[in-house]
Amino acid sequence: MLRMEPVSVTGMGCVCAAGTNLKDILRALEAGQRAPLPPSRFKSGHTRTYPVFEVPEHVRCEQKNGPDLSMTAHFALHAVKEALLQAGLAISDLDTSRVGVCIGTSVGASLNLLDFYRGTRAGQTPDLEPVHRYLNSNPAVTLAHALGTTGPVQTVVNACSSGADAIGLAASWIAQGICDIVIAGGADEMSEVTYNGFIRLMISDQSPCRPFDKSRGGLNLGEGAGIVILEASASREKRNAGELATILGYGTAADAHHLTAPHPQGVGLKLAISDALDAAGLTTADISFINAHGTGTANNDTVEATVLNELFPQTPFISTKGMTGHTLGAAGAIEAIFTMGHLAAGGIPASAGFSEEDPALSASPARRHTPVHGKAAISQSLAFGGNNTVLVIGKGRAI
C-alpha cells in the first residue's frame, strides 16, 4: 500500500436516530439514552417485535419544484446542509472549484417497491410513482444535482462498508489531484425487505442491541446519513478554513470466505487494518482507540474481538450501534464521523448495551467514558460479501 498524504475534513453532517445534527448526536452518545421502537413506516406480519432506530419523519427536506425523493436521498440532503455550513461553504462557492460527490449506500430505496410489485403480479397497472421516486433517488446524483456540482459522481454499493469505502475513495480523488473538494459519506433508509431479511437470517435482536455483551442477541436496524467535506490543502488554505480531522489511511480487503459471515480469524479485516496503517505511515501503537463495527451478532463480535485482542490488546474500543442501530450503507460514514468527534473531544463514551463481559470473547468494549490522548484512531466496517474496510483518522490541525 502506498503512503497517502493526509486529506483534510472541513465539514461534517450527520443524522440518525440519536439526533438530527452532529452536536446533539455526540451528546446523546455520551448520555447513553436510547429508545428503539417497532418500525413506523411499514408493517410486519411478525408476531414478535424487533425494535429499530428510525429517523424522525420531519428530517424530510423540502425540494421546491424538485422530484419526489426517497428517504435515503432526504437523509443525505439533510446531512450535507450541516456539513457545508460547518465548512463555511455556500452552494455558490462550489461553482469555482472542482467538486466531486461520492456516497455509499446499500439497497437505498431500491427495495421500497413492494406495492408496485404486488400490483404487477396481480395483473393490475400500479402507479409508477414509487419507480420514478427510486430512479430519482440515486444519493450521489441527487446531491450533485441539488448542489450543481460538475466533478466526478460515484455511488458506492458495497453493503455495510459502503459509507467508509466512499470516504476512502473520495480521499483518493483529493490525493490524486482530481478534485479540490469532495462531498463524501453514506446514506441509507430502512425497508420492509431488509427488516424481514435480517429477521430471516436470525440475527435481529428482539431487545435493544448489546454489542459484545454476553447476552447479545443480534442487531437492531437503523438508518441515517453521514456526510463529510474533504478538501485539498490548497483549497482549505485559500479559504482559511479550519481542519476538523484528517483521513490518514484507507484499507479494504475481502475475506473470500462466506456470503454473510466474516472469516473466523478475521483474515480480511487484518489485511485491511495493515493496509490502512501502511497508507497512514503509522503502527498499531499510534492508534488511540477504535470504533468497531460491533453489530451485536455472534459472528461479527467474535471475529472483531479476536482481531482487536491480537493487534490492539491495550487499545480501548467502542461500538456505537447500541445508540444508532445498524445503519447499513451509511454506517461506515456515520461512525467515521463519530470517530472524528471523539478524537477531537479526547474521549469515547461507554458502549451502549454492553454490561457483562462474554468469556467466549477475547476483548470487551469500553463500559464507561474513557479518555483518549492520541492523535489517530480507526473506524472499521465489516460487510456482507466478506468485505472489510478500515479508515485511519487523524486529529485536525489548527490553522
Side-chain angles (χ1 to χ4, degrees):
M1 176 63 68
L2 296 175
R3 177 79 182 272
M4 64 179 281
E5 291 297 318
V7 174
S8 299
V9 177
T10 56
M12 299 184 281
C14 196
V15 58
C16 62
T20 57
N21 62 76
L22 182 57
K23 183 179 179 181
D24 286 351
I25 293 169
L26 293 177
R27 187 183 297 124
L29 294 184
E30 285 291 343
Q33 298 172 345
R34 57 184 185 152
L37 297 168
S40 66
R41 293 202 297 273
F42 55 84
K43 295 183 178 180
S44 168
H46 292 282
T47 55
R48 297 174 177 174
T49 298
Y50 295 88
V52 297
F53 288 82
E54 278 186 333
V55 173
E57 185 73 17
H58 67 75
V59 165
R60 192 183 295 270
C61 293
E62 292 294 332
Q63 294 290 300
K64 293 181 180 177
N65 303 317
D68 188 18
L69 298 173
S70 70
M71 286 303 289
T72 298
H74 283 288
F75 295 158
L77 287 166
H78 179 93
V80 80
K81 286 183 178 178
E82 182 186 6
L84 289 171
L85 180 64
Q86 190 176 39
L89 286 166
I91 293 178
S92 58
D93 295 331
L94 304 178
D95 295 341
T96 56
S97 298
R98 298 173 299 160
V99 182
V101 181
C102 190
I103 306 297
T105 191
S106 61
V107 296
S110 63
L111 297 179
N112 286 348
L113 305 171
L114 290 184
D115 290 341
F116 177 81
Y117 296 145
R118 291 188 184 108
T120 300
R121 291 190 64 182
Q124 302 168 355
T125 306
D127 192 339
L128 287 172
E129 179 185 353
V131 177
H132 292 152
R133 183 185 307 118
Y134 163 63
L135 294 174
N136 289 329
S137 296
N138 179 305
V141 174
T142 297
L143 292 190
H145 284 172
L147 303 174
T149 62
T150 57
V153 178
Q154 176 73 53
T155 291
V156 178
V157 181
N158 204 12
C160 303
S161 65
S162 300
D165 285 316
I167 292 175
L169 180 60
S172 77
W173 293 356
I174 297 287
Q176 295 175 61
I178 297 172
C179 296
D180 304 310
I181 295 170
V182 183
I183 296 160
D188 227 341
E189 68 183 277
M190 275 184 289
S191 77
E192 184 179 349
V193 173
T194 52
Y195 179 77
N196 287 322
F198 279 97
I199 293 172
R200 288 294 298 271
L201 286 170
M202 297 188 289
I203 54 174
S204 288
D205 199 332
Q206 295 179 57
S207 302
C209 64
R210 294 150 285 174
F212 298 102
D213 191 82
K214 181 181 179 181
S215 64
R216 68 190 185 281
L219 57 80
N220 302 144
L221 283 179
E223 59 184 2
I227 302 290
V228 292
I229 308 299
L230 303 184
E231 194 160 358
S233 296
S235 174
R236 182 180 65 82
E237 291 168 2
K238 181 179 179 181
R239 297 194 308 111
N240 199 30
E243 183 183 66
L244 306 175
T246 53
I247 305 300
L248 300 176
Y250 165 56
T252 183
D255 289 331
H257 168 71
H258 191 274
L259 286 175
T260 59
H263 189 281
Q265 280 76 51
V267 171
L269 177 57
K270 286 189 278 191
L271 181 56
I273 291 171
S274 175
D275 283 352
L277 288 173
D278 286 348
L282 299 177
T283 70
T284 55
D286 296 311
I287 301 304
S288 58
F289 74 92
I290 295 158
N291 192 109
H293 191 58
T295 57
T297 61
N299 280 341
N300 178 90
D301 292 4
T302 299
V303 170
E304 276 200 289
T306 299
V307 171
L308 293 175
N309 181 58
E310 178 181 336
L311 301 182
F312 301 95
Q314 304 300 323
T315 306
F317 69 93
I318 53 169
S319 168
T320 52
K321 287 185 173 64
M323 290 296 297
T324 65
H326 191 347
T327 59
L328 302 182
I334 288 174
E335 292 168 22
I337 292 171
F338 292 168
T339 304
M340 296 172 196
H342 293 143
L343 194 58
I348 56 175
S351 288
F354 175 76
S355 62
E356 184 178 5
E357 291 187 1
D358 184 347
L361 300 185
S362 50
S364 296
R367 63 170 69 239
R368 61 182 63 84
H369 178 90
T370 303
V372 293
H373 305 291
K375 296 182 179 179
I378 275 178
S379 180
Q380 60 189 35
S381 303
L382 284 66
F384 279 3
N387 195 61
N388 306 270
T389 295
V390 172
L391 293 170
V392 179
I393 292 165
K395 271 187 174 180
R397 293 165 292 188
I399 57 175

